[in-house]
Amino acid sequence: MDKEAGCCSTHLIEGDGTFNAEGLDNFIKQVKMAECGLSYAVVAIMGPQSSGKWMLIGEGMSQTTKGIWMARCVGIEPCTIVMDLEGTDGRERGEDDTAFEKQSALFALAVSDIVLINMWCHDIGREQAANKPLLKTVFQVMLRLFSPRKTTLMFVIRDKTRTPLENLEPVLREDIQKIWDSVPKPEHHKQTPLSEFFNVLVVALSSYEEKEEQFKEQVASLRQRFFQSIAPNGLAGDRRGVVPASGFSFSAQQIWEVIKENKDLDLPAHKVMVATVRCEEIANEKYSSFLKNEDWCELEDAVKSHIVPGFGRKLTSMIDASLSSYDEEATYFEDSVRSAKRRQLEEKLIQLVQPTYQLMLEHIQLESLDKFKKALQDALSGGQVFADAASECAGSFMRLFDEQCKDATIKQADWDSDKAKVKFSRDIDSHIAEVQSAKLSELNAQFESKLKEALDGPVGALLEGGGDDTWPAIRKLFHHETKVAVSEFSVALSGFELDAQVNEEMLIKLENFARGIVEGKTKEEAAKALYRMKERFTSLFNHDSDSMPRSLKLLSVLAAIRLDVDADKIGDTLVLALVDKKDTSKSISTQDPLASSTWEEVPATKTLITPVQCKSLWSQFQRDTEYTITQAIASQEANKRNNNWMPPPWAIAALVVLGFNEFMTLLRNPLWLLVIFVGYLLFKALWVQLDIAGEFRNGMLPGILSLSTKVLPTVTNLLRKLAEEGQTPTTTDPRRNPSNQPQALGNYQGVASSTASSNVTMENGTEYTSPARPANGQ
């Protein structure tokens, strides 16, 4: 065990008891002891001063070993560290020798696997032998260890005599047993045998001075026994409570501090303490290394912007590598401590990566939702049924979400992605409901538009007609169009797979919309009832087959909505109250049938014009049309007078009697007949050209003024044509043809209304067209 050859040693404990922690750390780094794990051995050499320990380690003969030195044995595997303890009974230390001797002996027993005790051969069997105080010290300090490690005590007998070792060893063992028995022991160790604490070995070396070559051979043989000393059956094969090499420095320092404070040394507790501190240091180192890991930093940055494929696999591998590195360095420490610190490291790493994992789930959720929206839109644009498209897309993307969450799962973390999955499912359902609502609204609006187009115009036209068959025709139209629309709408809704109740409600809503169109149009026409009555009066001004004025019939049609039933007496009530009131007025006791706010057998919700409002409208209608009727009657009488040119019979008889002579004169002179005929033709032509009857229709004075401006130009024009063309047959004015005159007062225009031509269905089913005419008859 050449100390110099190792080129690596340190003064572990100074002579004053100072522990050289820095020197020990440097020594461990130089010999790479921390990498050894449990594969190392510590050998302590102790014995009386000047007992020749130097010969075992190669030092010179002087009392140079103050405190404890440490060196590595070169060429011995596994790594073997030798501690050279200061010799006992040294003269240099004096009274402090006993205290330091016990402290150094306790330290050696606490940290060493093998203790070499150097002793003289002549001390064996002697009561006052130099080794007895040393053995007492060793045994006494051993008992201070609560649960001491089993140590190999190798007694090296120096300067062996001719007495065989087989004879010396029993005597030595007997001396050792006597010393063990004489040492005071705690109650629980009084019956404990020496073998429980020590493996006792005895070797003998010849005298170095007398047999140097033999001594060197024996030392070399002894050296070989330290190879693989910790292997089974080795010198320290059954050692217990070994501190891993990486924690040796801290452990040795803490043991020496406890010994210096003169406290009992609890090695099991010390072992736990060392494991706790060292495992904590290793865990912190691995955590710091993980934070600086380039792969982790790159992964963390990448997740901030997008989904990272293989996220879970990559992160699991990183955490596994960190934990494996921890296990490798902490594998030899106390199991419970090592496992606890490993769990703490794992938890810290998981807490570190959890925000990144959550961000990854958010990216998965958002990107999957966006892709789902696009896929659903594409499916619907491609003509796929909504329910099928929604179901297929939702199922597909839920599976995709599960796969991506599984890909992001970290093996070491017991994280559940169910919450994210539930949220993603809610987002999908919400979007489906949103799209469904939009599609249903669009579909509903489409069918409502069709119904409005199919009902609004035709219902308005039917209401304007205002006949007996108006409401039956409206009902027929309403039921037909509604039935068709509801049937088509029901087929369209089947693609949404709605709840039966919701489906029924939407169909009913469409029916109500159609009903609302009819009712709305009816209300609109009812609000214009007076205008429609006046328009009807102006355009027709006649009575139907049952002698009911058509304006009153229109009022009856607009008075109530009759989509469901037409069994009411509104028309009869109006005729009785407004047309036949002269007959009813004869009986004073008869109650006014229109003195009410409701119609009999007509719900208030279906009433558009109440009886009282009908009476008021009819009164206003009569007031508004009274002037028109008066003017129309006067105009009709004027037309009759203008169209009747034949004189009365008595005038004709007077002309025959009184004009007989003149008639005879004409017969005698036919030239007068020619003159009269030509004058008649000229007068007839002027009559037609000047439209004399039309000019005087508006009054005498306006007619004279108008004719005075037309006579001269008309006569001049007529004479010019006669001169150029000769005698030309005169044409009659079509307006003078009685067949072109209005057949009833209803054709009279310009007094009460200037309405355009209107088409009205007469009682016989033919359509009558009322031509437009200017108010002045031009």
Side-chain angles (χ1 to χ4, degrees):
M1 300 179 184
D2 190 354
K3 184 176 181 180
E4 293 180 351
C7 298
C8 187
S9 64
T10 185
H11 200 173
L12 181 61
I13 298 177
E14 303 289 344
D16 59 359
T18 302
F19 190 90
N20 185 11
E22 182 178 357
L24 178 59
D25 290 339
N26 292 333
F27 171 80
I28 291 176
K29 290 179 181 178
Q30 289 176 7
V31 301
K32 299 180 180 179
M33 183 178 174
E35 301 176 3
C36 296
L38 296 180
S39 184
Y40 75 99
V42 179
V43 180
I45 303 176
M46 57 194 304
Q49 186 176 358
S50 301
S51 62
K53 301 191 301 298
W54 63 273
M55 294 181 180
L56 300 178
I57 60 176
E59 286 290 341
M61 178 62 178
S62 64
Q63 216 277 329
T64 58
T65 304
K66 287 291 185 179
I68 300 175
W69 277 82
M70 173 179 282
R72 177 177 180 178
C73 295
V74 179
I76 296 180
E77 294 296 335
C79 178
T80 301
I81 306 299
V82 176
M83 292 193 305
D84 181 16
L85 276 67
E86 181 179 335
T88 59
D89 298 331
R91 292 187 300 271
E92 291 84 349
R93 190 171 287 277
E95 295 180 356
D96 293 335
D97 180 64
T98 303
F100 186 80
E101 177 184 334
K102 291 183 178 180
Q103 290 175 349
S104 59
L106 180 58
F107 179 78
L109 291 173
V111 301
S112 301
D113 302 302
I114 305 170
V115 177
L116 296 181
I117 299 178
N118 220 17
M119 63 180 303
W120 299 113
C121 180
H122 58 77
D123 283 339
I124 298 175
R126 294 173 53 196
E127 289 294 331
Q128 303 299 324
N131 65 323
K132 283 190 177 181
L134 175 60
L135 289 177
K136 286 184 179 179
T137 299
V138 170
F139 293 158
Q140 286 173 356
V141 297
M142 179 61 75
L143 294 174
R144 291 181 61 188
L145 302 178
F146 290 166
S147 180
R149 54 188 293 177
K150 194 168 186 178
T151 305
T152 298
L153 286 181
M154 178 176 283
F155 289 88
V156 181
I157 301 175
R158 303 294 301 276
D159 294 347
K160 186 178 79 67
T161 61
R162 293 183 179 180
T163 305
L165 180 62
E166 292 80 4
N167 297 333
L168 294 175
E169 183 174 350
V171 177
L172 178 60
R173 287 183 180 274
E174 183 179 354
D175 290 343
I176 294 172
Q177 185 65 43
K178 288 180 180 179
I179 296 173
W180 172 256
D181 293 338
S182 65
V183 173
K185 303 179 185 65
E187 187 67 27
H188 60 282
H189 280 313
K190 284 186 177 181
Q191 304 300 324
T192 303
L194 178 65
S195 59
E196 183 72 20
F197 292 92
F198 299 102
N199 289 324
V200 179
L201 301 176
V202 179
V203 295
L205 298 177
S206 299
S207 174
Y208 176 76
E209 294 179 353
E210 295 178 0
K211 301 178 180 179
E212 180 179 353
E213 293 300 327
Q214 186 178 4
F215 175 82
K216 290 181 179 180
E217 291 177 2
Q218 291 173 342
V219 169
S221 177
L222 177 62
R223 177 185 175 90
Q224 290 297 320
R225 298 185 65 177
F226 285 89
F227 279 87
Q228 303 301 326
S229 60
I230 62 175
N233 300 321
L235 291 178
D238 56 350
R239 63 180 182 168
R240 299 190 298 262
V242 183
V243 175
S246 62
F248 180 81
S249 175
F250 177 77
S251 175
Q253 184 176 356
Q254 293 299 315
I255 288 175
W256 182 248
E257 288 181 2
V258 172
I259 292 174
K260 286 286 289 181
E261 293 175 359
N262 199 27
K263 296 179 180 179
D264 290 337
L265 184 59
D266 186 353
L267 286 183
H270 171 76
K271 184 180 179 182
V272 171
M273 183 269 293
V274 172
T276 301
V277 173
R278 187 67 190 120
C279 289
E280 182 74 25
E281 291 176 351
I282 296 173
N284 290 336
E285 290 174 3
K286 301 310 170 186
Y287 184 79
S288 299
S289 298
F290 188 90
L291 287 175
K292 299 174 183 177
N293 189 309
E294 292 184 1
D295 293 337
W296 158 245
C297 295
E298 292 176 359
L299 182 64
E300 187 180 24
D301 290 339
V303 172
K304 293 178 180 178
S305 58
H306 60 275
I307 293 177
V308 178
F311 172 85
R313 174 179 51 78
K314 294 177 181 178
L315 203 50
T316 297
S317 177
M318 295 179 197
I319 296 176
D320 272 342
S322 182
L323 294 176
S324 297
S325 179
Y326 168 86
D327 291 338
E328 183 178 349
E329 294 189 27
T331 185
Y332 301 112
F333 289 101
E334 182 70 22
D335 289 344
S336 60
V337 177
R338 182 184 72 246
S339 299
K341 295 301 178 182
R342 188 185 193 278
R343 286 193 298 270
Q344 292 179 7
L345 173 61
E346 188 174 10
E347 290 174 359
K348 287 178 65 176
L349 292 175
I350 289 174
Q351 290 176 0
L352 174 66
V353 303
Q354 185 175 20
T356 305
Y357 172 76
Q358 293 296 333
L359 186 59
M360 181 71 175
L361 289 185
E362 291 178 9
H363 283 313
I364 293 174
Q365 182 178 343
L366 293 176
E367 290 191 19
S368 298
L369 185 61
D370 290 341
K371 291 179 180 179
F372 166 78
K373 292 179 179 179
K374 185 177 185 304
L376 180 60
Q377 181 62 37
D378 292 343
L380 295 177
S381 300
Q384 191 172 1
V385 176
F386 179 85
D388 294 342
S391 177
E392 291 178 7
C393 291
S396 174
F397 280 90
M398 285 302 297
R399 289 190 294 273
L400 176 63
F401 181 81
D402 288 339
E403 292 174 1
Q404 290 181 323
C405 286
K406 184 178 180 180
D407 182 65
T409 299
I410 301 171
K411 183 179 67 175
Q412 296 86 355
D414 188 19
W415 291 331
D416 193 354
S417 60
D418 285 348
K419 290 184 178 179
K421 183 177 181 180
V422 169
K423 186 178 184 304
F424 179 65
S425 179
R426 285 201 303 264
D427 291 342
I428 284 182
D429 292 342
S430 177
H431 181 70
I432 290 176
E434 182 181 344
V435 175
Q436 183 186 68
S437 178
K439 292 294 181 182
L440 288 175
S441 297
E442 180 181 340
L443 187 64
N444 190 67
Q446 178 183 349
F447 277 91
E448 287 181 351
S449 177
K450 288 182 178 179
L451 276 175
K452 188 172 182 62
E453 181 180 355
L455 292 176
D456 189 72
V459 169
L462 289 171
L463 289 173
E464 288 182 11
D468 290 335
D469 59 346
T470 295
W471 278 109
I474 291 176
R475 280 196 298 274
K476 182 179 180 181
L477 175 67
F478 167 75
H479 289 307
H480 172 73
E481 296 296 338
T482 302
K483 181 178 180 181
V484 172
V486 168
S487 176
E488 294 177 355
F489 191 49
S490 178
V491 173
L493 289 180
S494 64
F496 291 86
E497 295 184 359
L498 299 174
D499 181 72
Q501 182 178 355
V502 176
N503 192 83
E504 185 66 22
E505 289 176 355
M506 295 197 69
L507 295 177
I508 293 175
K509 181 181 177 183
L510 185 64
E511 291 181 4
N512 292 336
F513 177 79
R515 185 178 296 273
I517 293 175
V518 177
E519 293 181 354
K521 193 64 179 178
T522 306
K523 291 177 181 178
E524 179 185 338
E525 293 296 325
K528 301 185 293 184
L530 181 60
Y531 169 77
R532 293 298 185 195
M533 291 165 64
K534 292 165 62 176
E535 184 181 42
R536 176 63 60 83
F537 167 78
T538 304
S539 61
L540 296 178
F541 201 11
N542 66 348
H543 291 72
D544 60 4
S545 58
D546 57 358
S547 300
M548 179 181 177
R550 288 190 177 272
S551 297
L552 193 60
K553 177 164 293 200
L554 179 62
L555 182 61
S556 170
V557 169
L558 299 176
I561 299 173
R562 301 175 178 85
L563 271 179
D564 299 318
V565 66
D566 199 15
D568 60 69
K569 301 178 180 179
I570 296 178
D572 296 340
T573 304
L574 290 177
V575 172
L576 178 64
L578 301 177
V579 178
D580 300 337
K581 59 183 179 179
K582 293 182 179 180
D583 298 334
T584 58
S585 62
K586 296 178 181 179
S587 176
I588 301 177
S589 61
T590 303
Q591 183 181 359
D592 186 356
L594 298 181
S596 173
S597 60
T598 59
W599 295 106
E600 185 179 355
E601 298 180 358
V602 178
T605 56
K606 302 299 181 182
T607 300
L608 300 178
I609 306 175
T610 64
V612 174
Q613 292 173 337
C614 284
K615 185 175 183 180
S616 175
L617 281 174
W618 185 255
S619 299
Q620 184 177 353
F621 170 73
Q622 287 181 321
R623 290 193 299 270
D624 293 345
T625 58
E626 183 177 1
Y627 175 75
T628 304
I629 294 172
T630 303
Q631 292 296 319
I633 293 174
S635 176
Q636 189 178 38
E637 292 178 353
N639 284 336
K640 288 180 179 181
R641 289 194 301 269
N642 291 333
N643 291 331
N644 190 9
W645 297 101
M646 294 300 293
W650 60 269
I652 295 175
L655 286 175
V656 171
V657 173
L658 299 177
F660 180 77
N661 294 331
E662 288 76 5
F663 179 70
M664 294 303 295
T665 301
L666 289 175
L667 291 176
R668 294 187 185 100
N669 191 357
L671 183 60
W672 284 105
L673 289 175
L674 180 60
V675 172
I676 292 172
F677 179 72
V678 172
Y680 169 76
L681 293 178
L682 181 61
F683 178 77
K684 183 65 175 179
L686 288 174
W687 183 275
V688 173
Q689 291 293 326
L690 294 175
D691 190 17
I692 295 174
E695 295 294 343
F696 283 99
R697 186 177 297 137
N698 295 327
M700 181 64 70
L701 183 58
I704 294 174
L705 293 175
S706 178
L707 290 174
S708 64
T709 61
K710 297 180 179 179
V711 170
L712 184 59
T714 301
V715 172
T716 303
N717 186 41
L718 192 60
L719 292 176
R720 187 177 67 253
K721 288 183 178 181
L722 289 174
E724 292 176 355
E725 299 180 5
Q727 189 175 359
T728 302
T730 60
T731 60
T732 60
D733 188 352
R735 286 173 291 185
R736 289 288 292 120
N737 190 349
S739 63
N740 290 332
Q741 296 297 321
Q743 298 180 3
L745 291 176
N747 298 82
Y748 180 73
Q749 304 289 324
V751 178
S753 173
S754 60
T755 60
S757 61
S758 60
N759 297 334
V760 181
T761 303
M762 304 300 290
E763 291 82 348
N764 57 6
T766 60
E767 185 176 47
Y768 172 79
T769 301
S770 176
R773 175 181 291 180
N776 58 5
Q778 296 299 320

